[in-house]
Amino acid sequence: MSVQDLARSLVAAGSVKPSGDEGEGIYLLSVRDGNLVEKHWVGDSLQSEIVVASDVRSDTSASYLIDSEQNLRLVVFIDQDNVIQCYQYEEDIEEWEETPLGSTWNITTSPESKLSATMSLEGGIVVSYQDETGRLAGIMSVADNKWKSFGPLEGNPVLGTPQYLEVIDERLHLFYVEEDAGIGYLVLDPNTDNWKVNLLKKTKFDTAIDNFSVVKDTETGAFQTYFLSSGSLWNVDGDREQICLGRVEGDGKLVPSDKAQAGWRIKWRGARKIVGPIRPLSRGTTSLRQLTDFDLETFELPTECYHSTQRRDEPPEPERFGIDLSTPPRRWEDWVVKLTFEKFGSEKHGNGFYINVPNATYDVILTAGHNLVEKELQYCSNIRILDDPFKKDEIQVTPDMIRVCQRYFEDPDELNAIYDYGVILLKRDKRDRVRGFGFNLMLGLAPFRENTDSAEDEEKDLLQDREVYVSGYMPGDSPLDDPPRRSEGKCIRANAHQLQYRADTIAGMSGGPVWIGFRGVETVVAIHNYGAENKGQGNRGSRLNLNVWRTIFEWVGVGWHNKSLHYRGPPTYSMHLHLPQDYELGSATFNEGRVRIGKPGLVETRFDILPVAAKPKAKELDAAYGFLLRPVDTNGGTARSLATSPVNWVRWDPKKDKVSLTKRFDGRCEVKIPQLIVQPGKPFAIKAQDEDNWKQVRMDIKLLDKEDLELLEEDAQSYEDTSEISFVSLTKDKPFRYY
């Protein structure tokens, strides 16, 4: 665990860091407006946000328990009535639901009590708290649906003490803040059921201890204790002196001291694997900056001070390239596969790689088309995946498992290099899916070109001059004995359909991934398929652009097409999102969305909804989707061709309470729609990121008076438009739904 993750976890109401292959990053719990909220962080990137429970006590602590073998996640907390509750994450609907345990335990705590929960060695749940007299007490499971209370325990804890339950050296430890003494702890003797009182040295502070965490160093046998006190993070190593690691801001951001610079790592157990089974339980406004850049000679205002109809398209926040230290360094090796096939009577070698396509019913392996096609409209024979890293065996690839770009399938020639791509689809159970490399559509889009006479105004491609990796097996490599190789080189040319790069390759590596570090993880940008066309030029790969992804999504049956977005509002009227079909950047043509109300009213705005980003191993809940405006003939004819129509993305802007169109795709075009994925056909929420929070989109009709609405009764095609679009915090009750 990084020192930054530790700081966030101590500021939070609760946290858990999954261990091993259970996941990456850290899950943090916090209380907002009476709701307990889960946030998933990977490095400095917020992955997702979901409401766990409502009616939560504002100063509750919470414990997050994971059992990966049972696919079980539990959160224990204190509600507004000072009663301990337990919620369980339901994978099928991707929602947190209340369990019967709160009623079973029937525990009322002190109004100031915090709590802690952990798993015993036998796989049961143990919970500690302060009772109504302020004494430490608890409850633990002893058999199926049987519970045993313990306490009140010895010791003199401060009222409202943080608590930390943990199994250390096969014995249950309960750490707490002892009055005028520092960190005390109780150890349970399993033979006598007695708790022995102990005290950690060097842990008394002049200021109050807001939170702490303790872990035993397996090398030295000493306790490592980390404290949050008066906005500072401290460490005590055994009997040594206290060391300040830095200042912690209210949002958990660490401003490190010299002791916590790059390279400092926290010794952390993560989520412990459970030995015994646990059975699943039933049941804004933006202010303008000062005009310090106002030019009195030319009278040019800063761009953000322009009226919205005069402002050029605003630049997005800078994107983050590179791999996080928390990302396992060689996990990508399991996502690359070696292929063999027969072509023109000879055995050939190639590569492919798993890619995480959310909501797919297949595992998807991308590869070069010439690894699959022998000649016009004919596949290669005897195509095999050698020693698949997940099946641990050879996989025979049959024609029904193959898809190839039609342009290349009909004319398999190097002149069609940009179309030289295909997929192998492996049918697997949803719970056993192999997700592989991540992707982000932003990296596949060439810069938007405006009509300009100045070369300085041209945008630079995000991949131009970036270091890229090419991975794959050489013909003589055996996947059983050799990991895939990786070479690195600069991307020297990036155009809409192809990348050229200096990374070394040899014949037989075609089909391997061309990838970079993006937002902290391994992200594919192209499929390697050819060497340099001429001396001095780079090796080549088919860029994963919008057209390529559309083709892949069609092959695997992912996405929704030609859909209008209706808001579940008052039953009397229909409400949907309306956006203009045509606008120009920097002109007075309006590009902002409106709520259109009618019975049902004229529906002119339809979308294709496509996956636009998924990180490696991320499940559907964490995938991002984009809304692409579907072109229509404004003269009332049939829809124009998607290939020749301008591309317009929906941009969701919580800071300005605005939904608008843009020709430039960036992070503001990414939203999450988890309920639509797990419960197709039912209403769903749209979640957009606002810095370190996620918000949901809301529509309203409060600005329309009764007379406006009565006019809609006369004509089914009549409508009224209103600007009442806003972004609100996530809540446990789900009133803002679309269909």
Side-chain angles (χ1 to χ4, degrees):
M1 172 183 272
S2 70
V3 67
Q4 176 59 81
D5 281 349
L6 175 67
R8 285 200 183 105
S9 70
L10 292 179
V11 169
S15 66
V16 68
K17 182 171 179 60
S19 62
D21 293 332
E22 295 169 15
E24 59 183 358
I26 186 169
Y27 290 88
L28 301 178
L29 298 168
S30 60
V31 180
R32 184 183 66 216
D33 300 327
N35 296 305
L36 187 64
V37 179
E38 173 203 83
K39 292 184 179 182
H40 179 202
W41 288 86
V42 176
D44 290 328
S45 177
L46 178 64
Q47 301 299 300
S48 64
E49 177 178 338
I50 187 172
V51 175
V52 177
S54 57
D55 299 325
V56 174
R57 203 181 74 192
S58 61
D59 62 345
T60 183
S61 59
S63 290
Y64 199 134
L65 308 178
I66 294 178
D67 178 3
S68 59
E69 293 183 357
Q70 298 289 326
N71 199 29
L72 186 65
R73 289 196 276 164
L74 302 174
V75 167
V76 184
F77 62 92
I78 302 173
D79 69 15
Q80 292 179 354
D81 295 323
N82 299 317
V83 175
I84 296 178
Q85 302 288 356
C86 179
Y87 274 55
Q88 175 180 334
Y89 185 71
E90 297 290 349
E91 187 79 25
D92 292 340
I93 61 173
E94 300 199 351
E95 297 275 358
W96 287 90
E97 299 290 338
E98 185 178 1
T99 74
L101 286 180
S103 298
T104 300
W105 295 335
N106 193 26
I107 296 173
T108 300
T109 71
S110 160
E112 293 82 12
S113 175
K114 303 295 192 290
L115 62 69
S116 182
T118 192
M119 300 293 187
S120 67
L121 284 175
E122 295 75 24
I125 300 174
V126 185
V127 182
S128 68
Y129 60 94
Q130 281 181 286
D131 64 21
E132 293 175 285
T133 68
R135 302 290 297 277
L136 289 170
I139 192 168
M140 64 174 67
S141 58
V142 292
D144 289 348
N145 299 318
K146 293 184 179 180
W147 300 87
K148 180 176 73 172
S149 298
F150 58 88
L153 302 177
E154 294 185 43
N156 187 25
V158 300
L159 193 58
T161 173
Q163 299 165 49
Y164 186 68
L165 274 170
E166 180 57 285
V167 176
I168 301 175
D169 297 332
E170 298 188 355
R171 294 203 172 191
L172 188 63
H173 289 56
L174 171 56
F175 297 87
Y176 64 96
V177 180
E178 177 78 7
E179 190 79 50
D180 298 323
I183 302 298
Y185 66 100
L186 298 146
V187 182
L188 176 64
D189 185 335
N191 298 316
T192 64
D193 278 347
N194 293 325
W195 294 79
K196 181 179 179 182
V197 181
N198 301 270
L199 193 68
L200 290 179
K201 298 179 180 180
K202 306 287 186 182
T203 60
K204 183 179 180 181
F205 281 76
D206 294 332
T207 54
I209 296 174
D210 301 309
N211 205 355
F212 66 88
S213 183
V214 182
V215 64
K216 189 171 185 179
D217 190 324
T218 56
E219 297 177 1
T220 66
F223 284 115
Q224 289 274 351
T225 312
Y226 301 95
F227 303 86
L228 182 65
S229 179
S230 292
S232 295
L233 180 63
W234 297 81
N235 168 245
V236 174
D237 182 358
D239 295 339
R240 298 179 183 177
E241 295 301 317
Q242 300 166 355
I243 297 174
C244 182
L245 301 180
R247 177 170 55 85
V248 181
E249 298 178 351
D251 61 357
K253 182 178 180 181
L254 177 74
V255 181
S257 68
D258 293 340
K259 301 294 185 180
Q261 298 301 324
W264 180 280
R265 303 294 293 176
I266 304 301
K267 295 180 179 180
W268 191 265
R269 67 173 178 86
R272 187 175 64 254
K273 185 154 288 191
I274 297 166
V275 177
I278 295 182
R279 290 178 172 80
L281 307 167
S282 56
R283 248 236 79 185
T285 300
T286 304
S287 61
L288 299 177
R289 66 182 175 90
Q290 294 181 345
L291 303 183
T292 54
D293 297 330
F294 186 84
D295 192 325
L296 292 175
E297 293 186 5
T298 61
F299 296 96
E300 291 183 359
L301 287 170
T303 303
E304 61 265 39
C305 298
Y306 289 4
H307 188 274
S308 62
T309 59
Q310 297 175 320
R311 188 182 305 143
R312 292 166 64 90
D313 206 18
E314 300 171 3
E317 293 294 322
E319 284 293 347
R320 184 168 59 92
F321 288 81
I323 301 290
D324 285 342
L325 291 174
S326 59
T327 299
R330 304 184 69 88
R331 65 175 181 175
W332 60 267
E333 294 177 352
D334 286 338
W335 306 331
V336 181
V337 298
K338 183 173 183 179
L339 306 177
T340 65
F341 48 92
E342 292 181 10
K343 191 170 185 176
F344 303 121
S346 300
E347 184 179 75
K348 304 289 184 181
H349 300 267
N351 284 265
F353 57 93
Y354 284 97
I355 184 77
N356 185 10
V357 178
N359 210 29
T361 55
Y362 301 92
D363 288 343
V364 181
I365 295 176
L366 298 187
T367 186
H370 67 256
N371 288 341
L372 305 173
V373 177
E374 182 174 50
K375 58 184 180 181
E376 296 177 15
L377 303 176
Q378 183 173 316
Y379 294 126
C380 297
S381 58
N382 197 24
I383 303 172
R384 294 173 294 150
I385 301 171
L386 297 184
D387 302 308
D388 177 75
F390 299 98
K391 189 177 179 181
K392 307 299 183 184
D393 200 356
E394 179 180 292
I395 298 177
Q396 188 73 36
V397 179
T398 56
D400 62 296
M401 302 162 63
I402 299 172
R403 308 288 188 274
V404 176
C405 176
Q406 193 65 24
R407 289 280 293 272
Y408 188 82
F409 194 40
E410 294 174 352
D411 186 11
D413 188 278
E414 190 171 343
L415 294 174
N416 281 326
I418 62 175
Y419 305 110
D420 188 355
Y421 64 89
V423 301
I424 298 171
L425 304 179
L426 304 177
K427 192 73 174 178
R428 282 201 176 106
D429 185 85
K430 180 181 178 181
R431 294 186 181 273
D432 297 326
R433 285 220 31 221
V434 176
R435 296 186 180 272
F437 283 93
F439 77 93
N440 193 298
L441 180 62
M442 188 188 311
L443 302 176
L445 301 179
F448 175 74
R449 307 294 184 189
E450 292 187 68
N451 295 326
T452 177
D453 296 328
S454 173
E456 295 180 358
D457 290 339
E458 292 291 331
E459 294 181 40
K460 182 179 179 181
D461 195 293
L462 280 174
L463 298 180
Q464 184 67 43
D465 299 325
R466 295 276 179 193
E467 294 292 322
V468 301
Y469 302 109
V470 180
S471 299
Y473 293 97
M474 292 186 178
D477 293 342
S478 167
L480 281 177
D481 303 322
D482 307 301
R485 302 170 188 263
R486 185 182 75 178
S487 63
E488 181 179 354
K490 184 174 291 187
C491 177
I492 60 174
R493 185 182 180 192
N495 64 37
H497 303 285
Q498 190 179 71
L499 301 181
Q500 294 184 14
Y501 34 86
R502 297 290 192 197
D504 294 332
T505 63
I506 67 168
M509 291 184 67
S510 288
V514 183
W515 58 281
I516 64 171
F518 184 67
R519 297 181 181 176
V521 295
E522 310 90 334
T523 307
V524 167
V525 294
I527 303 168
H528 173 66
N529 45 27
Y530 291 98
E533 190 171 13
N534 297 300
K535 187 176 181 180
Q537 295 180 342
N539 296 315
R540 294 170 287 165
S542 293
R543 189 173 193 174
L544 295 175
N545 59 27
L546 177 59
N547 288 335
V548 173
W549 281 118
R550 270 180 162 161
T551 301
I552 294 171
F553 296 152
E554 183 179 351
W555 287 338
V556 298
V558 168
W560 296 267
H561 303 279
N562 198 26
K563 301 295 184 182
S564 54
L565 186 62
H566 291 259
Y567 183 67
R568 190 179 66 175
T572 308
Y573 301 100
S574 172
M575 303 166 61
H576 72 272
L577 177 62
H578 174 76
L579 287 156
Q581 282 289 326
D582 297 300
Y583 73 99
E584 295 180 7
L585 293 177
S587 75
T589 305
F590 213 56
N591 73 325
E592 295 184 13
R594 290 288 182 265
V595 184
R596 176 160 288 186
I597 302 99
K599 297 193 71 175
L602 182 62
V603 179
E604 299 175 302
T605 304
R606 294 183 178 274
F607 306 97
D608 289 339
I609 308 168
L610 304 173
V612 293
K615 291 197 171 188
K617 303 176 71 174
K619 296 184 179 181
E620 280 66 24
L621 178 67
D622 294 323
Y625 283 76
F627 283 67
L628 189 59
L629 184 67
R630 192 173 181 90
V632 296
D633 190 329
T634 55
N635 294 320
T638 57
R640 293 175 286 181
S641 168
L642 291 173
T644 60
S645 298
V647 174
N648 285 302
W649 294 96
V650 179
R651 177 179 290 169
W652 314 83
D653 193 343
K655 285 185 172 53
K656 300 177 181 177
D657 279 336
K658 184 175 74 172
V659 176
S660 60
L661 289 177
T662 179
K663 301 183 191 311
R664 293 183 176 91
F665 183 95
D666 59 48
R668 293 168 292 183
C669 300
E670 301 175 18
V671 293
K672 296 186 178 180
I673 46 176
Q675 291 91 356
L676 177 60
I677 296 165
V678 298
Q679 295 179 297
K682 293 188 177 182
F684 59 93
I686 299 175
K687 302 178 182 180
Q689 189 166 1
D690 183 15
E691 295 184 346
D692 291 348
N693 296 288
W694 286 84
K695 293 186 175 180
Q696 55 185 337
V697 186
R698 177 180 181 176
M699 295 182 185
D700 219 326
I701 56 172
K702 293 179 180 178
L703 296 180
L704 297 179
D705 57 32
K706 184 177 180 181
E707 289 74 18
D708 292 330
L709 296 175
E710 286 177 349
L711 292 174
L712 302 178
E713 304 282 350
E714 301 174 2
D715 182 2
Q717 291 295 297
S718 65
Y719 59 86
E720 288 284 346
D721 290 347
T722 176
S723 60
E724 296 170 83
I725 296 175
S726 60
F727 292 77
V728 299
S729 297
L730 304 183
T731 58
K732 186 60 179 175
D733 51 339
K734 302 172 269 291
F736 313 126
R737 292 296 187 91
Y738 297 82
Y739 60 93

